[in-house]
Amino acid sequence: MPDRVGVPPCGQADCRACSVRDWLLEAGARGLDSATLLDDDTPGNVHCEVTICDDGDCLCQSRLKLDITGATYRETGRRSEETPMCDFSVVAALPERNVAAAVELKLGAAAWPDSGEQLQHGLRVLHDAFSGVGAHSTPRAYLAVGKQREQLQEVLDAEGFRLNYGSHTVPVEVIDCGSCINISAA
Ligand SMILES: [Zn+2]
């Protein structure tokens, strides 16, 4: 079982994960202290949340809210239009690799393919950020849902659905609201 939550950014000058974090903050993302990610823009008092944890080997981690209005990575060339965007990203440094995770939260069942499109844009931004600082990364895409998790995962698996990450592709992992995302296993 994962045994740690909320690893902070390490702040080391040569840390690629921190460089990616700075790149994203500069582009308009918002850093989060909490390890619990929450869809607090959903109306009402009920939320979908997930917690980011690890096996004790995570060297550096940052959690960022990506779906910020006005972020430069959402520009489309038309002033009134922005690209869709997933809710959050997690950038982590592990001993052998950097992990770039896109996270979308849905209190109910996910609207598809809209949720896939949101995650795809999140991965695009993460790939640009890692490329921008000259670092490699292992991508992951998580869709947390409050309803119909198994049904959606079955459909995606049957289709062989994958998102793009540079020249690589990534499956969407559908998880339940309330889950922990073990970034060490990612
Ligand atoms: Zn760091």
Side-chain angles (χ1 to χ4, degrees), residues 21-105:
R21 177 175 189 269
D22 291 342
W23 189 102
L24 291 167
L25 290 173
E26 199 155 307
R30 187 181 303 152
L32 301 167
D33 292 334
S34 172
T36 297
L37 309 180
L38 189 75
D39 63 334
D40 55 6
D41 46 8
T42 301
N45 293 319
V46 192
H47 299 290
C48 178
E49 64 176 50
V50 296
T51 301
I52 310 302
C53 50
D54 72 288
D55 287 336
D57 58 351
C58 188
L59 306 169
C60 172
Q61 186 185 121
S62 59
R63 300 158 296 271
L64 299 116
K65 186 165 172 62
L66 285 190
D67 64 336
I68 305 286
T69 301
T72 56
Y73 50 75
R74 302 187 69 178
E75 287 173 359
T76 60
R78 291 196 206 180
R79 195 193 302 199
S80 58
E81 272 182 43
E82 297 202 305
T83 69
M85 188 51 58
C86 66
D87 292 313
F88 300 100
S89 69
V90 182
V91 174
L94 294 164
E96 301 293 330
R97 65 197 186 284
N98 299 313
V99 175
V103 182
E104 175 65 22
L105 307 179

Side-chain angles (χ1 to χ4, degrees), residues 8-19 21 59-62 93:
C10 71
Q12 308 265 348
D14 61 348
C15 174
R16 300 286 83 185
C18 281
S19 300
R21 177 175 189 269
L59 306 169
C60 172
Q61 186 185 121
S62 59

Side-chain angles (χ1 to χ4, degrees), residues 1-5 7 53-58 94 182-186:
M1 275 297 288
D3 60 1
R4 265 200 328 185
V5 298
V7 176
C53 50
D54 72 288
D55 287 336
D57 58 351
C58 188
L94 294 164
N182 183 354
I183 212 72
S184 298

